[in-house]
């Protein structure tokens, strides 16, 4: 078994165990990118690497949470509130049934570039702009 095989085995085995206990499954998008056709159909894919993945995920019939790092990572200090606002989770997803598979989005923050002294100005107004994007219907843009 090589490294890729071991990774796939671990993820799929963990999914099976979680499902047997009634848990929902959320996987980082790497699992979808590497062996998406093997994932349990109940899987939620957390899109964090970039654009274009959410449309592939929902085309495969899986649910998706959007938080692509180039748009919705708060610790990327060069990302503007305008960029957060313009990040539409339904980009290139026109089928209403596939749109329903986008569960929403999430802004993320990792601690490498921020600390308690700048947390408030790091979060606001960019998180608010992402929230506005998530609750405003795409047809209102």
């Amino acid at each position: 078994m090589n490294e890729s095989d071991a990774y796939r085995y671990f993820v799929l085995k963990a999914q099976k165990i979680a499902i047997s206990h009634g848990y929902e499954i959320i996987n980082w998008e790497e699992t979808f990118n590497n062996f998406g056709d093997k994932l349990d159909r109940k899987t939620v894919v957390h899109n964090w690497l970039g654009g274009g993945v959410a449309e592939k995920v929902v085309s495969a019939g899986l649910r998706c949470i959007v938080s692509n790092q180039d748009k919705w990572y708060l610790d990327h200090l060069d990302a503007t509130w305008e960029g957060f606002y313009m990040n539409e989770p339904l980009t290139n997803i026109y089928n209403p049934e596939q749109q329903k598979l986008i569960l929403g989005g999430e802004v993320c923050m990792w601690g490498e570039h921020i600390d308690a002294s700048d947390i408030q100005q790091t979060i606001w107004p960019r998180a608010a702009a992402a929230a506005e994007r998530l609750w405003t219907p795409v047809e209102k843009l």
Side-chain angles (χ1 to χ4, degrees):
M1 186 179 287
N2 65 30
E3 183 180 300
S4 295
D5 294 335
Y7 176 51
R8 181 175 49 253
Y9 174 81
F10 172 79
V11 169
L12 298 178
K13 184 72 168 179
Q15 282 194 338
K16 190 173 186 177
I17 292 168
I19 290 169
S20 76
H21 291 284
Y23 292 106
E24 290 283 328
I25 304 160
I26 301 176
N27 285 125
W28 294 107
E29 77 176 69
E30 290 90 335
T31 60
F32 177 79
N33 293 340
N34 290 307
F35 47 88
D37 60 328
K38 304 275 189 270
L39 295 175
D40 189 279
R41 299 292 91 193
K42 297 177 184 174
T43 301
V44 175
V45 177
H46 187 181
N47 163 220
W48 74 278
L49 287 173
V53 175
E55 63 188 278
K56 293 175 187 170
V57 170
V58 300
S59 290
L62 299 172
R63 297 171 295 161
C64 187
I65 298 170
V66 176
S67 64
N68 38 347
Q69 68 171 335
D70 60 331
K71 303 292 184 195
W72 278 356
Y73 269 44
L74 294 164
D75 56 305
H76 290 198
L77 301 178
D78 58 338
T80 65
W81 73 265
E82 294 92 346
F84 273 64
Y85 182 76
M86 295 309 296
N87 184 36
E88 173 52 56
L90 298 177
T91 297
N92 296 324
I93 302 171
Y94 306 107
N95 179 317
E97 293 305 311
Q98 290 178 349
Q99 289 178 346
K100 291 177 187 175
L101 295 174
I102 299 292
L103 301 179
E106 173 184 46
V107 295
C108 304
M109 179 153 41
W110 299 91
E112 296 95 338
H113 304 292
I114 59 103
D115 61 34
S117 70
D118 63 358
I119 194 165
Q120 287 298 323
Q121 59 268 37
T122 302
I123 294 172
W124 305 108
R126 296 176 307 149
E132 174 66 27
R133 169 54 46 240
L134 287 167
W135 67 56
T136 301
V138 68
E139 57 272 359
K140 299 284 185 182
L141 290 177

Short mmCIF file of all heavy atoms in Angstrom, two decimals, residues 29 46-55 64-74 76 79-93 102 104-108 126-138 141:
data_model
loop_
_atom_site.label_atom_id
_atom_site.label_comp_id
_atom_site.label_asym_id
_atom_site.label_seq_id
_atom_site.Cartn_x
_atom_site.Cartn_y
_atom_site.Cartn_z
N GLU A 29 -11.42 19.34 1.08
CA GLU A 29 -11.58 19.08 -0.35
C GLU A 29 -10.51 18.17 -0.94
O GLU A 29 -10.72 17.59 -2.00
CB GLU A 29 -11.66 20.38 -1.14
CG GLU A 29 -10.34 21.07 -1.36
CD GLU A 29 -10.50 22.29 -2.23
OE1 GLU A 29 -11.10 23.29 -1.80
OE2 GLU A 29 -9.98 22.25 -3.36
N HIS A 46 -15.61 20.28 2.34
CA HIS A 46 -15.25 21.64 2.75
C HIS A 46 -14.24 22.19 1.75
O HIS A 46 -13.07 21.84 1.76
CB HIS A 46 -14.66 21.62 4.16
CG HIS A 46 -14.42 22.97 4.71
ND1 HIS A 46 -13.88 23.16 5.95
CD2 HIS A 46 -14.62 24.21 4.22
CE1 HIS A 46 -13.77 24.46 6.19
NE2 HIS A 46 -14.21 25.10 5.14
N ASN A 47 -14.72 23.06 0.87
CA ASN A 47 -13.91 23.70 -0.18
C ASN A 47 -13.10 24.82 0.44
O ASN A 47 -13.64 25.82 0.86
CB ASN A 47 -14.85 24.21 -1.27
CG ASN A 47 -14.23 25.23 -2.20
OD1 ASN A 47 -14.90 26.19 -2.55
ND2 ASN A 47 -13.01 25.05 -2.62
N TRP A 48 -11.78 24.63 0.52
CA TRP A 48 -10.94 25.67 1.12
C TRP A 48 -9.77 26.09 0.24
O TRP A 48 -9.19 27.16 0.45
CB TRP A 48 -10.42 25.20 2.49
CG TRP A 48 -9.34 24.15 2.40
CD1 TRP A 48 -9.51 22.82 2.22
CD2 TRP A 48 -7.94 24.38 2.50
NE1 TRP A 48 -8.30 22.18 2.18
CE2 TRP A 48 -7.31 23.13 2.36
CE3 TRP A 48 -7.15 25.51 2.69
CZ2 TRP A 48 -5.93 22.97 2.40
CZ3 TRP A 48 -5.77 25.35 2.73
CH2 TRP A 48 -5.18 24.09 2.59
N LEU A 49 -9.41 25.30 -0.75
CA LEU A 49 -8.21 25.61 -1.53
C LEU A 49 -8.41 26.70 -2.57
O LEU A 49 -7.49 27.43 -2.87
CB LEU A 49 -7.69 24.34 -2.21
CG LEU A 49 -7.01 23.35 -1.28
CD1 LEU A 49 -6.68 22.06 -2.01
CD2 LEU A 49 -5.76 23.96 -0.66
N GLY A 50 -9.60 26.81 -3.13
CA GLY A 50 -9.78 27.83 -4.14
C GLY A 50 -11.07 27.65 -4.91
O GLY A 50 -11.88 26.79 -4.61
N GLY A 51 -11.23 28.48 -5.93
CA GLY A 51 -12.44 28.47 -6.73
C GLY A 51 -12.53 27.28 -7.67
O GLY A 51 -11.55 26.59 -7.92
N GLY A 52 -13.73 27.05 -8.15
CA GLY A 52 -13.97 26.00 -9.13
C GLY A 52 -14.25 24.64 -8.54
O GLY A 52 -14.75 23.75 -9.25
N VAL A 53 -13.96 24.43 -7.28
CA VAL A 53 -14.15 23.12 -6.67
C VAL A 53 -15.61 22.89 -6.30
O VAL A 53 -16.15 21.81 -6.53
CB VAL A 53 -13.23 22.95 -5.44
CG1 VAL A 53 -13.51 21.63 -4.74
CG2 VAL A 53 -11.78 23.04 -5.85
N ALA A 54 -16.27 23.90 -5.78
CA ALA A 54 -17.66 23.74 -5.35
C ALA A 54 -18.53 23.25 -6.49
O ALA A 54 -19.37 22.36 -6.30
CB ALA A 54 -18.20 25.05 -4.77
N GLU A 55 -18.34 23.79 -7.67
CA GLU A 55 -19.18 23.35 -8.80
C GLU A 55 -18.91 21.90 -9.16
O GLU A 55 -19.82 21.17 -9.56
CB GLU A 55 -19.00 24.27 -10.01
CG GLU A 55 -17.62 24.31 -10.59
CD GLU A 55 -17.45 25.38 -11.66
OE1 GLU A 55 -17.83 25.11 -12.81
OE2 GLU A 55 -16.95 26.46 -11.32
N CYS A 64 -21.61 20.77 -0.12
CA CYS A 64 -20.37 21.55 -0.05
C CYS A 64 -20.53 22.75 0.87
O CYS A 64 -21.58 23.39 0.91
CB CYS A 64 -20.00 22.02 -1.45
SG CYS A 64 -18.39 22.82 -1.57
N ILE A 65 -19.47 23.04 1.61
CA ILE A 65 -19.31 24.28 2.36
C ILE A 65 -18.18 25.04 1.70
O ILE A 65 -17.10 24.48 1.49
CB ILE A 65 -18.96 24.01 3.84
CG1 ILE A 65 -20.09 23.24 4.53
CG2 ILE A 65 -18.66 25.31 4.57
CD1 ILE A 65 -19.72 22.73 5.91
N VAL A 66 -18.41 26.30 1.38
CA VAL A 66 -17.41 27.11 0.68
C VAL A 66 -16.66 28.00 1.68
O VAL A 66 -17.27 28.70 2.48
CB VAL A 66 -18.08 27.99 -0.40
CG1 VAL A 66 -17.07 28.90 -1.07
CG2 VAL A 66 -18.79 27.11 -1.43
N SER A 67 -15.34 27.95 1.63
CA SER A 67 -14.51 28.89 2.40
C SER A 67 -13.15 29.01 1.74
O SER A 67 -12.12 28.97 2.41
CB SER A 67 -14.39 28.46 3.87
OG SER A 67 -13.72 27.24 4.00
N ASN A 68 -13.14 29.15 0.43
CA ASN A 68 -11.89 29.17 -0.31
C ASN A 68 -10.91 30.20 0.26
O ASN A 68 -11.23 31.35 0.45
CB ASN A 68 -12.11 29.34 -1.81
CG ASN A 68 -13.22 30.29 -2.18
OD1 ASN A 68 -14.02 30.68 -1.35
ND2 ASN A 68 -13.27 30.69 -3.42
N GLN A 69 -9.69 29.73 0.51
CA GLN A 69 -8.69 30.52 1.22
C GLN A 69 -8.29 31.81 0.51
O GLN A 69 -7.91 32.77 1.16
CB GLN A 69 -7.46 29.68 1.51
CG GLN A 69 -6.67 29.31 0.28
CD GLN A 69 -5.36 28.67 0.62
OE1 GLN A 69 -4.81 28.88 1.69
NE2 GLN A 69 -4.84 27.88 -0.30
N ASP A 70 -8.37 31.84 -0.79
CA ASP A 70 -7.99 33.06 -1.49
C ASP A 70 -9.04 34.16 -1.33
O ASP A 70 -8.78 35.31 -1.66
CB ASP A 70 -7.72 32.78 -2.97
CG ASP A 70 -8.92 32.21 -3.71
OD1 ASP A 70 -9.75 31.53 -3.08
OD2 ASP A 70 -9.02 32.42 -4.93
N LYS A 71 -10.20 33.83 -0.79
CA LYS A 71 -11.27 34.82 -0.62
C LYS A 71 -11.74 34.98 0.82
O LYS A 71 -12.06 36.08 1.24
CB LYS A 71 -12.49 34.43 -1.47
CG LYS A 71 -12.20 34.28 -2.94
CD LYS A 71 -11.85 35.60 -3.57
CE LYS A 71 -11.66 35.39 -5.08
NZ LYS A 71 -11.01 36.49 -5.69
N TRP A 72 -11.84 33.88 1.59
CA TRP A 72 -12.50 33.96 2.90
C TRP A 72 -11.62 33.52 4.07
O TRP A 72 -12.13 33.02 5.06
CB TRP A 72 -13.77 33.14 2.88
CG TRP A 72 -14.94 33.88 2.28
CD1 TRP A 72 -14.96 35.17 1.85
CD2 TRP A 72 -16.24 33.37 2.04
NE1 TRP A 72 -16.19 35.49 1.36
CE2 TRP A 72 -17.00 34.39 1.46
CE3 TRP A 72 -16.84 32.14 2.25
CZ2 TRP A 72 -18.34 34.21 1.10
CZ3 TRP A 72 -18.16 31.97 1.89
CH2 TRP A 72 -18.89 33.00 1.33
N TYR A 73 -10.33 33.73 3.97
CA TYR A 73 -9.46 33.47 5.12
C TYR A 73 -9.08 34.80 5.74
O TYR A 73 -8.41 35.62 5.12
CB TYR A 73 -8.22 32.67 4.70
CG TYR A 73 -8.41 31.18 4.80
CD1 TYR A 73 -9.58 30.56 4.35
CD2 TYR A 73 -7.44 30.38 5.38
CE1 TYR A 73 -9.75 29.19 4.45
CE2 TYR A 73 -7.61 29.01 5.48
CZ TYR A 73 -8.77 28.43 5.03
OH TYR A 73 -8.95 27.07 5.13
N LEU A 74 -9.54 35.02 6.95
CA LEU A 74 -9.33 36.29 7.64
C LEU A 74 -7.86 36.58 7.93
O LEU A 74 -7.46 37.73 8.04
CB LEU A 74 -10.14 36.33 8.94
CG LEU A 74 -11.66 36.33 8.74
CD1 LEU A 74 -12.35 35.98 10.04
CD2 LEU A 74 -12.13 37.68 8.22
N HIS A 76 -5.48 36.11 5.95
CA HIS A 76 -4.84 36.65 4.74
C HIS A 76 -5.09 38.15 4.77
O HIS A 76 -6.09 38.66 4.27
CB HIS A 76 -5.45 36.01 3.49
CG HIS A 76 -5.08 34.57 3.34
ND1 HIS A 76 -5.19 33.90 2.16
CD2 HIS A 76 -4.59 33.65 4.22
CE1 HIS A 76 -4.79 32.65 2.31
NE2 HIS A 76 -4.44 32.48 3.56
N ALA A 79 -6.39 40.48 1.94
CA ALA A 79 -7.73 40.29 1.36
C ALA A 79 -8.65 41.39 1.86
O ALA A 79 -8.78 41.60 3.06
CB ALA A 79 -8.27 38.92 1.74
N THR A 80 -9.30 42.08 0.93
CA THR A 80 -10.15 43.22 1.29
C THR A 80 -11.59 42.78 1.57
O THR A 80 -12.02 41.70 1.16
CB THR A 80 -10.19 44.24 0.14
OG1 THR A 80 -10.83 43.62 -0.99
CG2 THR A 80 -8.78 44.69 -0.24
N TRP A 81 -12.33 43.66 2.24
CA TRP A 81 -13.74 43.35 2.49
C TRP A 81 -14.51 43.23 1.18
O TRP A 81 -15.43 42.43 1.06
CB TRP A 81 -14.38 44.37 3.44
CG TRP A 81 -14.64 45.73 2.85
CD1 TRP A 81 -13.84 46.83 2.92
CD2 TRP A 81 -15.78 46.12 2.08
NE1 TRP A 81 -14.41 47.87 2.24
CE2 TRP A 81 -15.61 47.47 1.72
CE3 TRP A 81 -16.94 45.47 1.65
CZ2 TRP A 81 -16.54 48.17 0.96
CZ3 TRP A 81 -17.86 46.18 0.89
CH2 TRP A 81 -17.66 47.52 0.56
N GLU A 82 -14.09 44.00 0.16
CA GLU A 82 -14.75 43.92 -1.14
C GLU A 82 -14.57 42.52 -1.75
O GLU A 82 -15.50 41.98 -2.35
CB GLU A 82 -14.21 44.99 -2.10
CG GLU A 82 -14.52 46.41 -1.70
CD GLU A 82 -13.42 47.05 -0.86
OE1 GLU A 82 -12.53 46.33 -0.37
OE2 GLU A 82 -13.46 48.28 -0.70
N GLY A 83 -13.39 41.96 -1.61
CA GLY A 83 -13.14 40.60 -2.10
C GLY A 83 -13.98 39.57 -1.35
O GLY A 83 -14.49 38.62 -1.95
N PHE A 84 -14.13 39.77 -0.04
CA PHE A 84 -14.98 38.87 0.76
C PHE A 84 -16.43 38.96 0.25
O PHE A 84 -17.10 37.96 0.09
CB PHE A 84 -14.94 39.26 2.24
CG PHE A 84 -13.81 38.62 2.99
CD1 PHE A 84 -12.49 38.90 2.68
CD2 PHE A 84 -14.07 37.75 4.03
CE1 PHE A 84 -11.45 38.33 3.39
CE2 PHE A 84 -13.03 37.16 4.75
CZ PHE A 84 -11.72 37.45 4.42
N TYR A 85 -16.88 40.18 0.01
CA TYR A 85 -18.27 40.39 -0.42
C TYR A 85 -18.53 39.80 -1.81
O TYR A 85 -19.60 39.24 -2.06
CB TYR A 85 -18.62 41.88 -0.43
CG TYR A 85 -20.05 42.13 -0.81
CD1 TYR A 85 -21.08 41.90 0.10
CD2 TYR A 85 -20.38 42.57 -2.08
CE1 TYR A 85 -22.40 42.10 -0.25
CE2 TYR A 85 -21.70 42.78 -2.45
CZ TYR A 85 -22.71 42.54 -1.53
OH TYR A 85 -24.01 42.73 -1.89
N MET A 86 -17.58 39.89 -2.70
CA MET A 86 -17.78 39.45 -4.08
C MET A 86 -17.58 37.94 -4.27
O MET A 86 -17.78 37.42 -5.36
CB MET A 86 -16.86 40.22 -5.03
CG MET A 86 -17.17 41.72 -5.08
SD MET A 86 -18.92 42.10 -5.39
CE MET A 86 -19.14 41.42 -7.02
N ASN A 87 -17.21 37.22 -3.24
CA ASN A 87 -17.01 35.78 -3.33
C ASN A 87 -18.36 35.07 -3.27
O ASN A 87 -18.88 34.78 -2.20
CB ASN A 87 -16.11 35.28 -2.20
CG ASN A 87 -15.80 33.81 -2.33
OD1 ASN A 87 -15.64 33.30 -3.42
ND2 ASN A 87 -15.71 33.14 -1.20
N GLU A 88 -18.94 34.80 -4.41
CA GLU A 88 -20.26 34.17 -4.49
C GLU A 88 -20.13 32.65 -4.48
O GLU A 88 -19.54 32.07 -5.40
CB GLU A 88 -20.98 34.62 -5.77
CG GLU A 88 -22.27 33.90 -6.05
CD GLU A 88 -23.23 33.92 -4.87
OE1 GLU A 88 -23.57 35.01 -4.37
OE2 GLU A 88 -23.62 32.82 -4.43
N PRO A 89 -20.64 31.97 -3.43
CA PRO A 89 -20.54 30.51 -3.36
C PRO A 89 -21.20 29.76 -4.52
O PRO A 89 -20.82 28.64 -4.82
CB PRO A 89 -21.24 30.16 -2.05
CG PRO A 89 -21.14 31.41 -1.23
CD PRO A 89 -21.23 32.53 -2.21
N LEU A 90 -22.18 30.38 -5.19
CA LEU A 90 -22.89 29.70 -6.28
C LEU A 90 -22.32 30.01 -7.66
O LEU A 90 -22.96 29.70 -8.67
CB LEU A 90 -24.37 30.07 -6.24
CG LEU A 90 -25.13 29.65 -4.98
CD1 LEU A 90 -26.56 30.14 -5.05
CD2 LEU A 90 -25.05 28.16 -4.75
N THR A 91 -21.12 30.57 -7.72
CA THR A 91 -20.50 30.87 -9.01
C THR A 91 -20.47 29.64 -9.90
O THR A 91 -20.02 28.57 -9.47
CB THR A 91 -19.07 31.42 -8.80
OG1 THR A 91 -19.15 32.64 -8.08
CG2 THR A 91 -18.36 31.66 -10.13
N ASN A 92 -20.99 29.78 -11.11
CA ASN A 92 -21.02 28.73 -12.14
C ASN A 92 -21.88 27.52 -11.75
O ASN A 92 -21.72 26.44 -12.34
CB ASN A 92 -19.60 28.27 -12.51
CG ASN A 92 -18.81 29.38 -13.14
OD1 ASN A 92 -19.34 30.20 -13.88
ND2 ASN A 92 -17.53 29.42 -12.84
N ILE A 93 -22.76 27.68 -10.78
CA ILE A 93 -23.69 26.61 -10.41
C ILE A 93 -25.09 27.15 -10.71
O ILE A 93 -25.64 27.95 -9.97
CB ILE A 93 -23.56 26.23 -8.93
CG1 ILE A 93 -22.12 25.80 -8.63
CG2 ILE A 93 -24.55 25.12 -8.57
CD1 ILE A 93 -21.82 25.61 -7.16
N ILE A 102 -25.09 23.41 -1.96
CA ILE A 102 -24.18 24.35 -1.29
C ILE A 102 -24.83 24.70 0.04
O ILE A 102 -25.85 25.39 0.09
CB ILE A 102 -23.93 25.61 -2.14
CG1 ILE A 102 -23.29 25.27 -3.48
CG2 ILE A 102 -23.08 26.62 -1.36
CD1 ILE A 102 -21.86 24.74 -3.39
N GLY A 104 -23.60 26.45 2.49
CA GLY A 104 -23.27 27.79 2.95
C GLY A 104 -21.78 28.01 2.85
O GLY A 104 -21.09 27.39 2.04
N GLY A 105 -21.31 28.89 3.70
CA GLY A 105 -19.89 29.22 3.68
C GLY A 105 -19.37 29.43 5.08
O GLY A 105 -20.12 29.46 6.06
N GLU A 106 -18.06 29.60 5.14
CA GLU A 106 -17.40 29.78 6.43
C GLU A 106 -16.18 30.66 6.22
O GLU A 106 -15.39 30.40 5.29
CB GLU A 106 -16.99 28.42 6.98
CG GLU A 106 -16.15 28.48 8.22
CD GLU A 106 -15.68 27.11 8.66
OE1 GLU A 106 -15.20 26.33 7.82
OE2 GLU A 106 -15.77 26.85 9.87
N VAL A 107 -16.04 31.69 7.02
CA VAL A 107 -14.79 32.42 7.02
C VAL A 107 -13.90 31.76 8.07
O VAL A 107 -14.38 31.26 9.08
CB VAL A 107 -14.96 33.94 7.30
CG1 VAL A 107 -15.74 34.61 6.20
CG2 VAL A 107 -15.61 34.19 8.63
N CYS A 108 -12.62 31.72 7.79
CA CYS A 108 -11.68 31.01 8.65
C CYS A 108 -10.55 31.94 9.06
O CYS A 108 -10.21 32.88 8.34
CB CYS A 108 -11.07 29.83 7.89
SG CYS A 108 -12.29 28.68 7.25
N ARG A 126 -14.48 42.44 7.27
CA ARG A 126 -14.46 41.39 6.25
C ARG A 126 -15.41 40.23 6.55
O ARG A 126 -16.09 39.74 5.66
CB ARG A 126 -13.04 40.91 6.03
CG ARG A 126 -12.16 42.03 5.48
CD ARG A 126 -10.71 41.67 5.31
NE ARG A 126 -10.17 41.13 6.53
CZ ARG A 126 -9.19 40.23 6.56
NH1 ARG A 126 -8.64 39.80 5.44
NH2 ARG A 126 -8.73 39.76 7.69
N ALA A 127 -15.50 39.82 7.82
CA ALA A 127 -16.44 38.74 8.15
C ALA A 127 -17.88 39.19 7.92
O ALA A 127 -18.71 38.41 7.47
CB ALA A 127 -16.23 38.28 9.59
N ALA A 128 -18.16 40.45 8.21
CA ALA A 128 -19.51 40.98 7.96
C ALA A 128 -19.82 40.98 6.47
O ALA A 128 -20.95 40.69 6.06
CB ALA A 128 -19.64 42.38 8.54
N ALA A 129 -18.83 41.29 5.64
CA ALA A 129 -19.05 41.28 4.19
C ALA A 129 -19.34 39.86 3.69
O ALA A 129 -20.22 39.66 2.85
CB ALA A 129 -17.82 41.85 3.47
N ALA A 130 -18.65 38.87 4.24
CA ALA A 130 -18.93 37.48 3.87
C ALA A 130 -20.32 37.07 4.35
O ALA A 130 -21.07 36.40 3.61
CB ALA A 130 -17.87 36.54 4.45
N ALA A 131 -20.70 37.49 5.55
CA ALA A 131 -22.05 37.18 6.06
C ALA A 131 -23.11 37.78 5.16
O ALA A 131 -24.10 37.11 4.82
CB ALA A 131 -22.20 37.70 7.49
N GLU A 132 -22.91 39.01 4.73
CA GLU A 132 -23.87 39.65 3.82
C GLU A 132 -23.97 38.86 2.52
O GLU A 132 -25.07 38.64 2.00
CB GLU A 132 -23.44 41.08 3.54
CG GLU A 132 -24.29 41.79 2.50
CD GLU A 132 -25.73 42.02 2.91
OE1 GLU A 132 -26.00 42.12 4.13
OE2 GLU A 132 -26.59 42.10 2.02
N ARG A 133 -22.86 38.40 1.99
CA ARG A 133 -22.87 37.61 0.76
C ARG A 133 -23.67 36.33 0.97
O ARG A 133 -24.44 35.91 0.13
CB ARG A 133 -21.42 37.27 0.33
CG ARG A 133 -21.28 36.25 -0.77
CD ARG A 133 -22.04 36.50 -2.06
NE ARG A 133 -21.90 37.84 -2.54
CZ ARG A 133 -22.93 38.71 -2.73
NH1 ARG A 133 -24.16 38.35 -2.50
NH2 ARG A 133 -22.71 39.93 -3.14
N LEU A 134 -23.51 35.69 2.13
CA LEU A 134 -24.17 34.42 2.37
C LEU A 134 -25.68 34.56 2.57
O LEU A 134 -26.43 33.67 2.20
CB LEU A 134 -23.55 33.72 3.58
CG LEU A 134 -22.16 33.14 3.31
CD1 LEU A 134 -21.48 32.76 4.61
CD2 LEU A 134 -22.27 31.95 2.37
N TRP A 135 -26.12 35.66 3.12
CA TRP A 135 -27.57 35.75 3.34
C TRP A 135 -28.30 36.54 2.27
O TRP A 135 -29.52 36.61 2.27
CB TRP A 135 -27.94 36.23 4.73
CG TRP A 135 -27.60 37.64 5.09
CD1 TRP A 135 -27.97 38.79 4.44
CD2 TRP A 135 -26.87 38.07 6.22
NE1 TRP A 135 -27.49 39.88 5.08
CE2 TRP A 135 -26.80 39.48 6.19
CE3 TRP A 135 -26.23 37.40 7.28
CZ2 TRP A 135 -26.15 40.22 7.16
CZ3 TRP A 135 -25.59 38.16 8.24
CH2 TRP A 135 -25.55 39.55 8.16
N THR A 136 -27.57 37.12 1.34
CA THR A 136 -28.22 37.83 0.23
C THR A 136 -28.35 36.86 -0.95
O THR A 136 -27.34 36.34 -1.43
CB THR A 136 -27.39 39.05 -0.20
OG1 THR A 136 -27.26 39.93 0.93
CG2 THR A 136 -28.04 39.79 -1.35
N PRO A 137 -29.56 36.64 -1.42
CA PRO A 137 -29.73 35.73 -2.57
C PRO A 137 -28.95 36.20 -3.79
O PRO A 137 -28.83 37.40 -4.04
CB PRO A 137 -31.24 35.78 -2.84
CG PRO A 137 -31.85 36.30 -1.58
CD PRO A 137 -30.82 37.18 -0.94
N VAL A 138 -28.39 35.26 -4.54
CA VAL A 138 -27.56 35.57 -5.68
C VAL A 138 -28.30 36.44 -6.71
O VAL A 138 -27.70 37.30 -7.35
CB VAL A 138 -26.99 34.28 -6.33
CG1 VAL A 138 -28.09 33.45 -6.98
CG2 VAL A 138 -25.89 34.60 -7.32
N LEU A 141 -27.89 40.33 -6.55
CA LEU A 141 -26.60 40.99 -6.82
C LEU A 141 -26.73 42.04 -7.91
O LEU A 141 -27.44 41.94 -8.82
CB LEU A 141 -25.54 39.97 -7.24
CG LEU A 141 -25.08 39.05 -6.14
CD1 LEU A 141 -24.09 38.03 -6.72
CD2 LEU A 141 -24.43 39.80 -5.01
#
